[in-house]
Amino acid sequence: MVGAVAEGGASAAPAAWPGELHRVLKGAGVGHMSYVPDAGHTALIRLLEADPDVVCNVLTTEEEGIAVAAGAWLGGQRSVLLMQSSGVGNCINMLSLPAIGRFPLLMLVTMRGEWAEFNPWQVPMSRATQPTLEAMGVRVMRAETPEDLVETVGAAAALAYEADGQVAVLLGQRLLGRKKW
């Protein structure tokens, strides 16, 4: 498992929240996961890939995951899409598919360009992530602590799968830890 990098640059202990999220997603009936590789999701990706009951797809671009989630739903599977905030910009047009088709969509979005960001290229999309998703009709929830994250993902999964909603949970950069290269 990958741990966050602490303020001073030393590795922190691996976080427990990826295991809790895996449990919540399984409890919500998620049997499919698509993702573009992202350091913030590494531990959760590994857990889902190791789960024999979850089909996993590596994507070349984030918008593919929206179509894959719609296809999974039509095939009887609940899906989750994992991406970084910079990938939200790639999804704008494709977000009309679940909105018009009334397909559930659950996205877990790790944020960059916020707290202690070192890469200025991450900042503009960070500012645009939530308003962009909301402009496309996606309900946005945010988590800044592991406790909030677990509860929020559970609520988001219910809204997506039980009410055919399109929901994105933004995982704040502070929750993920300061990146250091």
Side-chain angles (χ1 to χ4, degrees), residues 16-99:
W17 62 261
E20 288 295 309
L21 280 191
H22 178 251
R23 182 187 57 75
V24 168
L25 292 170
K26 290 289 292 200
V30 171
H32 185 271
M33 181 265 297
S34 294
Y35 68 98
V36 173
D38 168 44
H41 283 303
T42 298
L44 180 58
I45 289 168
R46 287 181 182 159
L47 289 168
L48 290 166
E49 284 182 328
D51 188 326
D53 297 325
V54 179
V55 175
C56 300
N57 294 104
V58 180
L59 307 168
T60 57
T61 183
E62 293 81 3
E63 67 265 28
E64 293 172 347
I66 295 170
V68 169
W73 179 254
L74 291 172
Q77 289 286 319
R78 291 179 174 188
S79 185
V80 63
L81 173 57
L82 309 181
M83 74 174 88
Q84 190 178 90
S85 56
S86 57
V88 170
N90 296 334
C91 296
I92 304 307
N93 192 43
M94 189 60 79
L95 284 168
S96 22
L97 175 65

